[in-house]
Amino acid sequence: MRRTAVLGSAGTLLAGALIASAMAAPANADGRHHGDPAAYGATVAADRAAKKGIDWQDCPADWALEKPIQCGYVTVPLDYGKPNGRQIKLAVDRIGNTGTKDQRQGALIYNPGGPGGSGMAFPRRVITKNAIWADAAKAYDFVGFDPRGVGRSTPISCVDPTEFVKAPKLDPVPDSEADKRAQRKLAAEYADGCKERSGWMLPHMTTPNTARDLDVIRAALGEKKLNYLGVSYGTYLGAVYGTLFPTHVRRMVVDSVVNPSKEKIWYQANLDQDVAFEIRFQDWMKWVAQNDATFHIGATTAEVERQWEKLRAAAKKSPIGGVVGPAELIGLFQGAPYYDSSWVPVASVWSDYLAGDTQALVDAAAPDLSDTVGNAKAENGNAVYTAVECADAKWPTSWRTWDRDNTRLHRDHPFLTWANAWLNLPCATWGAKQQTPVEVKTGKGLPPVLITQSTRDAATPYEGAVELHKRFKGSRLITERDAGSHGITNLANPCINDRVKAYLLTGALDSADVTCAPHATPKP
């Protein structure tokens, strides 16, 4: 799950009609599926898309997708229970396989997570000559898309982007009941804003509907079977797709896995995330201490942690540069437990600040009010994140439950707990119907799925990969031990890279699960 700043906190990454069953119900003579209008609607939409195809064109200049990437749209029902009702458009793009016609194995469709992430940059991995994916690119067209509600796919909004990015926001960590009331008010206002600005979309902003969209895209591409790569929330999308459309899957790689248990989606998943973020934040602070000769922040983990508390306190008393308070600091510093690639940049900004360079911290943590495109994208991403997680499942409506759980968790896991709570609190007063999550399981005909996961992942704790592995019979789990970067298939680790490549190119899997040594630790 990818996280973004919202409301009074800086936090994290993440069914229209009826939830479809594990397999589309058989059709009556009139073409309707027994008891499952959404499954019937998905079939209708996919058949329609297969006949229409995609009108591929050069991408519009403002999409920042250079040739030979091509762009187009796929039309899907807003409500799969009413396939001939209101339609929405989804933006898609592709780049052809780099190998020969004989080497081509179809399209590989990508989702980067969120909910709210855009996959449109995926074809650029070919243009930038990403070595990890070079062999897969010989066999597959790389296809990206904006999920419903995202970017150029009928985007939703909950608040004016200029209001969304204003800083400093309230300190996520409350000092009093008054602080909590202020955050609760903001969360309720955000939920109301979503309903006011995008209410017509909200009941249909669900993972099962996005999975149905994915199947329509597959059909529009002219593909009989889906080849899929999903990261973070994209793993849950893949898990739901594999449950609803098991016979439509050819190859599926899921990387950094959301726990698909119905009991975890989504309230408990976020509480679990708070624990994992604290663990990985401690890993990073230990590394900072080990590299004190470079950063001069503290020679022990305890010293680094004291510096963090000191920085938070200073920003709370007087926002740095007038705009960076504790919420903005969390927005910056959470990058370190998320991705190893952020270890050096975040530590360097912190080190520069302690050496007297305040502007470095402001530049890194404060919003750029002049970046209207980026701010609109951030607001949209957060709106989709909230809409999907609020619609996918029923959330606690009692503030006592939220207060009890987060107060208890914060005592030992203070880094992200309250920020995460405020991010998700709009779901407590959500103005649209909340569904029951899909029971993720192996449907008849589902081929072996490849699962990759690091043991100390903060955003999607390791237990999620274990749970999906149990539920998808015949799957294989590649574990990266003693590592915690989120999204490991795009990191250099031959133990992982070679197996992902072999699976995509030949379908080959190890006879048993595999544990890999960690990728290289970042160096200052």
Side-chain angles (χ1 to χ4, degrees):
M1 296 182 289
R2 193 205 59 200
R3 321 297 297 186
T4 52
V6 65
L7 307 176
S9 69
T12 310
L13 279 234
L14 314 116
L18 302 174
I19 300 297
S21 58
M23 295 184 66
N28 288 332
D30 64 356
R32 295 189 174 276
H33 292 249
H34 293 296
D36 197 345
Y40 167 71
T43 300
V44 170
D47 288 347
R48 186 184 295 147
K51 293 174 183 176
K52 184 177 181 181
I54 301 173
D55 181 17
W56 294 110
Q57 303 285 340
D58 290 341
C59 301
D62 62 349
W63 289 24
L65 295 166
E66 61 269 56
K67 295 180 182 180
I69 298 173
Q70 294 180 304
C71 293
Y73 286 98
V74 174
T75 301
V76 300
L78 171 67
D79 180 350
Y80 278 93
K82 301 174 181 177
N84 297 317
R86 186 169 185 172
Q87 307 290 303
I88 59 176
K89 288 186 175 183
L90 308 180
V92 295
D93 66 344
R94 72 169 181 184
I95 193 167
N97 72 302
T98 61
T100 65
K101 183 178 179 180
D102 290 341
Q103 286 178 298
R104 186 179 181 276
Q105 296 190 38
L108 177 63
I109 307 179
Y110 174 72
N111 180 272
S118 168
M120 298 287 280
F122 182 55
R124 297 201 73 252
R125 291 190 184 183
V126 177
I127 290 176
T128 59
K129 301 188 186 308
N130 185 315
I132 293 172
W133 293 95
D135 288 326
K138 293 178 182 177
Y140 294 97
D141 304 343
F142 278 19
V143 175
F145 72 105
D146 277 347
R148 59 170 54 204
V150 175
R152 294 175 174 85
S153 293
T154 319
I156 66 169
S157 171
C158 291
V159 65
D160 185 276
T162 58
E163 292 295 319
F164 177 75
V165 300
K166 274 187 178 178
K169 293 178 171 61
L170 297 179
D171 183 357
V173 180
D175 290 331
S176 65
E177 290 302 313
D179 288 348
K180 294 177 182 178
R181 285 194 296 271
Q183 295 279 14
R184 291 172 64 188
K185 182 174 182 288
L186 287 174
E189 288 173 349
Y190 187 82
D192 290 344
C194 294
K195 184 176 182 180
E196 180 180 343
R197 296 168 74 97
S198 305
W200 68 279
M201 280 277 283
L202 297 186
H204 313 290
M205 289 294 298
T206 65
T207 301
N209 274 342
T210 303
R212 297 177 184 115
D213 293 344
L214 187 58
D215 198 58
V216 177
I217 293 172
R218 170 201 60 76
L221 289 167
E223 301 290 337
K224 298 296 184 184
K225 302 268 188 175
L226 178 77
N227 302 294
Y228 178 75
L229 169 63
V231 182
S232 191
Y233 165 77
T235 67
Y236 184 56
L237 175 58
V240 171
Y241 182 91
T243 300
L244 300 183
F245 304 99
T247 61
H248 294 185
V249 178
R250 179 176 180 266
R251 309 261 163 83
M252 179 178 288
V253 179
V254 286
D255 172 9
S256 304
V257 180
V258 169
N259 193 319
S261 167
K262 291 172 68 174
E263 289 69 35
K264 298 291 187 179
I265 303 297
W266 284 101
Y267 180 73
Q268 187 60 47
N270 280 283
L271 296 178
D272 294 346
Q273 191 180 60
D274 299 336
V275 175
F277 259 94
E278 189 68 37
I279 292 170
R280 194 58 178 164
F281 189 54
Q282 294 289 331
D283 287 349
W284 175 68
M285 288 194 293
K286 180 180 178 181
W287 174 86
V288 171
Q290 290 170 343
N291 290 281
D292 188 52
T294 299
F295 300 118
H296 311 293
I297 295 171
T300 67
T301 304
E303 288 178 5
V304 174
E305 191 162 12
R306 282 194 293 271
Q307 287 281 19
W308 163 245
E309 292 300 334
K310 184 178 178 181
L311 179 62
R312 274 194 90 264
K316 182 180 179 68
K317 183 178 180 180
S318 179
I320 299 163
V323 288
V324 177
E328 288 70 35
L329 287 177
I330 292 175
L332 171 64
F333 277 69
Q334 71 179 2
Y338 244 117
Y339 306 108
D340 290 6
S341 59
S342 293
W343 280 20
V344 173
V346 175
S348 297
V349 167
W350 192 6
S351 178
D352 291 345
Y353 170 78
L354 291 175
D357 186 357
T358 298
Q359 193 59 43
L361 183 59
V362 172
D363 290 344
D368 179 1
L369 298 181
S370 67
D371 183 10
T372 55
V373 173
N375 293 335
K377 183 178 179 180
E379 190 279 324
N380 168 244
N382 200 86
V384 175
Y385 165 83
T386 310
V388 173
E389 294 214 354
C390 292
D392 266 357
K394 295 173 176 62
W395 289 69
T397 56
S398 167
W399 166 245
R400 292 180 64 184
T401 299
W402 290 75
D403 195 21
R404 177 201 67 206
D405 292 345
N406 288 281
T407 298
R408 182 181 65 240
L409 204 60
H410 173 79
R411 293 189 190 111
D412 296 321
H413 310 92
F415 175 68
L416 195 67
T417 296
W418 277 115
N420 211 2
W422 307 129
L423 176 76
N424 294 290
L425 190 59
C427 295
T429 59
W430 197 240
K433 185 177 181 180
Q434 295 176 321
Q435 304 290 337
T436 300
V438 167
E439 183 67 49
V440 170
K441 59 184 178 181
T442 307
K444 185 178 180 181
L446 182 72
V449 170
L450 182 60
I451 303 168
T452 69
Q453 179 82 33
S454 61
T455 56
R456 301 178 75 81
D457 189 320
T460 52
Y462 181 72
E463 292 73 22
V466 175
E467 182 67 24
L468 182 60
H469 186 29
K470 291 177 183 176
R471 288 169 180 259
F472 273 1
K473 306 301 181 185
S475 62
R476 286 289 178 269
L477 173 59
I478 300 175
T479 298
E480 188 183 27
R481 61 173 172 80
D482 302 327
S485 203
H486 185 59
I488 60 176
T489 52
N490 207 35
L491 299 176
N493 187 335
C495 180
I496 299 168
N497 306 146
D498 291 349
R499 287 177 166 84
V500 171
K501 178 173 67 176
Y503 171 73
L504 287 174
L505 294 181
T506 70
L509 290 169
D510 290 275
S511 59
D513 295 337
V514 175
T515 298
C516 293
H519 62 272
T521 301
K523 295 181 180 179

